[in-house]
Every structure is written in structure tokens, then in C-alpha cells.
């Protein structure tokens, strides 16, 4: 039996150069599932993404998804993509095994923690406060530059990284430090600034966009203090859970989040196309 992808719509193109197409996964022309492949503005035209891959229950466990994913890679190469991405729920062990067998590796993961009823206390000598307008400009410049480096290290060109950073920060901080439901804080320890924190309050809970300890103050527990401050602020705002994203190669941060009770909800994977 032959498993193939059959387009179910014309190739969709937008003015910004991105593409999208839905396919039927077929076995000898019999539909057994669906696949949606696209490039997204946030990642640029050289990165394809499998937005959805489903195989009907009676045909699962027969390698249909494997062949469909490999066929999607060939389509992406035809679109001149250099990389293909996919996201997998943390509780889908079968899909995670499939992705690993196909050569996908983890780039980052989403993690979530249920917040306690009472806000945690900070260690003695540590206090959190709101960032001032004077501090915001230098912080934003540093934050954008660091974000650009992170994106470039994962395959984007410098221009793509800069454009993505500009778009993302403009969308997330449209009114700067005064953006509604956004709290940007500074952690002080014994009167000295040791770190910064960026938390947004969302309908489904709080989300930590950035937590940063100054290089000269690392290894002293201030990262944990910043996360406890994020919890306290979020509980005060009425949130019952808090989430964040961590890159797979940031082992110290991952271990810290795990020790505080954060659990993975989704893995974001990628594969370089040669």
C-alpha cells in the first residue's frame, strides 16, 4: 500500500510571502487523515511548520503518520525551506517518539504551574519593585538584543531575527512599560539591583516572558526569588496558574523551574532540511 499526500485546496499565498496548504493523507487514494503545512510570518518564509497531522483511528499504528511527515518535508523543500517545525503535547508519548525517530529535536518547551493560595515570601534582604521609566529604555534595548541572538542561534538570519524581535516586542508591549496587564519588575537584594522580570496577565493565567539575573549576581538564588515574585504578583492579580517557555539547552533554568513545580505542557521541535 502507498501512503501519499493529496492537496485538498490550492496553495494559499499571502502578501508577506508566506504559504499554506491542507492535504489529505491517502492510502491508495483512500483518505485516512489530514495534514496542514504552512510558513508563518513569525518564523519567516524559510521555515515550514506542520500545524496539524491527524490519522483516523482505524489506520493508526501502521506508519501512516511517519510517511505523511516525510512527505511534508519534501513539500517544504520544494518551498525552499531550510527548516521544518512541529509542536507536540507533552502527554502524547507516541507522537514524541515518532518525532524523535524522524530526526526532530527539541528547541523549547512550555511549562505551567498551579499557583498556591497564598503568595510566597521572598528571602530576607530581597524585595521586588516596579521598573521605572528611566530603567525601561535600557532594559528593552538589552532584552531585544538578547532575543535576537537567541533567534539567530536557532537558524534565522540576522535580519530575520531583528525583524521578529521588533514585531514581537511591538505586539507585546504596545504602550511600553504602561502596557495594560503587563508588570515589569526589578529585584533588589540588600539595596542593589540584581535582576529583572517581565510578566503578563492573560485570561488563562499569568505568563513569564523574561526573567534575568545580572551576570555578576548569578548563582546566589536570585532567579528563584524573581520567580517567587512573579507568583506573588500573579496571585495578587487573580491568576490561578502561571506559565513560561524554556529552551532545551538552558539546563540550569529547566532544573530551577522543575524544582518550583513547573510541568511541561508542550514540546516545540525542529528539523533542519538539507
Amino acid at each position: 500500500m502507498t501512503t501519499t499526500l493529496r492537496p485538498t485546496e490550492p496553495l494559499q499565498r499571502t502578501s508577506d510571502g508566506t504559504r499554506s496548504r491542507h492535504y489529505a493523507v491517502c492510502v491508495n487514494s483512500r483518505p485516512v487523515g489530514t495534514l496542514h503545512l504552512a510558513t508563518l510570518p513569525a518564523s519567516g518564509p524559510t521555515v515550514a511548520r506542520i500545524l496539524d497531522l491527524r490519522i483516523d483511528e482505524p489506520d493508526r499504528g501502521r506508519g501512516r503518520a511517519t510517511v505523511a511527515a516525510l512527505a511534508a518535508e519534501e513539500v517544504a523543500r520544494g518551498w525552499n525551506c531550510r527548516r521544518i517545525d512541529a509542536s507536540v503535547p507533552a502527554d502524547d508519548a507516541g507522537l514524541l517518539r515518532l518525532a524523535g525517530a524522524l530526526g526532530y529535536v527539541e528547541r523549547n518547551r512550555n511549562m505551567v504551574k498551579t499557583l498556591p493560595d497564598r503568595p510566597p515570601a521572598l528571602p530576607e534582604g530581597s524585595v521586588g519593585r516596579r521598573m521605572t521609566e528611566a530603567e525601561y529604555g535600557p532594559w528593552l534595548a538589552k532584552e531585544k538584543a538578547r532575543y535576537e541572538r537567541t533567534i539567530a542561534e536557532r537558524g534565522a538570519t540576522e535580519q530575520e531575527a531583528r525583524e521578529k524581535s521588533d514585531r514581537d516586542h511591538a505586539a507585546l508591549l504596545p504602550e511600553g512599560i504602561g502596557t495594560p496587564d503587563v508588570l515589569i519588575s526589578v529585584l533588589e537584594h540588600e539595596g542593589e539591583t540584581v535582576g529583572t522580570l517581565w510578566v503578563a496577565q492573560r485570561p488563562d493565567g499569568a505568563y513569564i516572558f523574561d526573567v534575568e539575573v545580572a551576570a555578576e549576581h548569578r548563582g546566589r538564588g536570585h532567579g528563584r526569588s524573581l520567580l517567587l515574585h512573579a507568583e506573588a504578583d500573579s496571585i495578587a492579580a487573580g491568576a490561578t496558574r502561571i506559565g513560561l517557555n524554556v529552551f532545551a539547552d538552558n539546563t540550569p533554568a529547566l532544573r530551577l523551574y522543575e524544582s518550583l513545580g513547573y510541568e511541561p505542557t508542550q514540546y516545540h521541535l525542529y528539523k533542519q532540511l538539507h
Side-chain angles (χ1 to χ4, degrees):
M1 293 187 179
T2 303
T3 302
T4 58
L5 293 183
R6 186 181 68 200
T8 57
E9 64 175 350
L11 178 63
Q12 307 296 306
R13 293 177 180 265
T14 61
S15 58
D16 58 9
T18 58
R19 312 181 190 201
S20 172
R21 202 169 201 180
H22 286 83
Y23 298 85
V25 181
C26 297
V27 174
N28 292 344
S29 300
R30 176 176 62 89
V32 298
T34 58
L35 184 143
H36 182 195
L37 185 69
T39 60
L40 303 177
S43 302
T46 62
V47 178
R49 185 171 186 84
I50 298 177
L51 296 177
D52 188 49
L53 172 56
R54 301 176 187 273
I55 301 298
D56 299 338
E57 185 68 37
D59 280 272
R60 293 178 185 174
R62 303 183 184 184
R64 315 299 194 209
T66 299
V67 177
L70 290 171
E73 292 180 22
E74 291 306 310
V75 174
R77 290 187 179 94
W79 292 356
N80 295 317
C81 292
R82 301 193 303 263
R83 194 182 83 210
I84 188 166
D85 291 354
S87 296
V88 179
D91 59 0
D92 194 331
L95 198 51
L96 283 170
R97 285 195 299 271
L98 170 62
L102 289 172
Y104 284 79
V105 294
E106 181 187 351
R107 180 181 62 247
N108 56 299
R109 69 182 67 173
N110 295 121
M111 304 184 78
V112 167
K113 175 182 179 177
T114 300
L115 290 169
D117 295 330
R118 296 184 178 182
L122 296 184
E124 184 177 353
S126 294
V127 62
R129 63 168 175 82
R130 295 289 171 262
M131 183 177 287
T132 66
E133 284 281 359
E135 293 169 321
Y136 176 73
W139 169 83
L140 180 61
K142 182 179 178 182
E143 160 64 23
K144 291 178 70 174
R146 187 160 54 85
Y147 186 52
E148 288 172 22
R149 289 194 300 273
T150 299
I151 299 168
E153 287 169 359
R154 284 158 177 82
T157 66
E158 290 187 6
Q159 181 177 343
E160 289 171 345
R162 184 168 54 254
E163 290 175 351
K164 178 172 172 55
S165 179
D166 288 341
R167 285 195 307 268
D168 289 353
H169 284 87
L172 295 169
L173 297 168
E175 298 179 37
I177 200 171
T179 300
D181 298 321
V182 168
L183 298 175
I184 302 177
S185 305
V186 171
L187 179 71
E188 294 182 347
H189 182 72
E190 297 181 348
E192 187 174 7
T193 297
V194 297
T196 56
L197 177 71
W198 172 12
V199 182
Q201 304 300 321
R202 295 171 161 180
D204 61 346
Y207 187 83
I208 299 173
F209 278 101
D210 184 63
V211 55
E212 176 74 7
V213 177
E216 64 273 22
H217 294 289
R218 291 173 186 167
R220 304 176 190 177
H222 298 312
R224 180 176 293 269
S225 297
L226 281 163
L227 291 167
L228 293 177
H229 182 57
E231 290 186 25
D233 267 351
S234 300
I235 292 169
T240 58
R241 65 182 221 158
I242 188 168
L244 50 78
N245 173 79
V246 59
F247 285 100
D249 57 1
N250 192 347
T251 302
L254 180 58
R255 297 293 175 261
L256 173 60
Y257 302 148
E258 290 174 339
S259 74
L260 286 168
Y262 286 82
E263 297 182 346
T265 57
Q266 193 168 46
Y267 294 97
H268 303 288
L269 315 171
Y270 74 97
K271 180 178 180 179
Q272 296 297 144
L273 299 175
H274 303 291

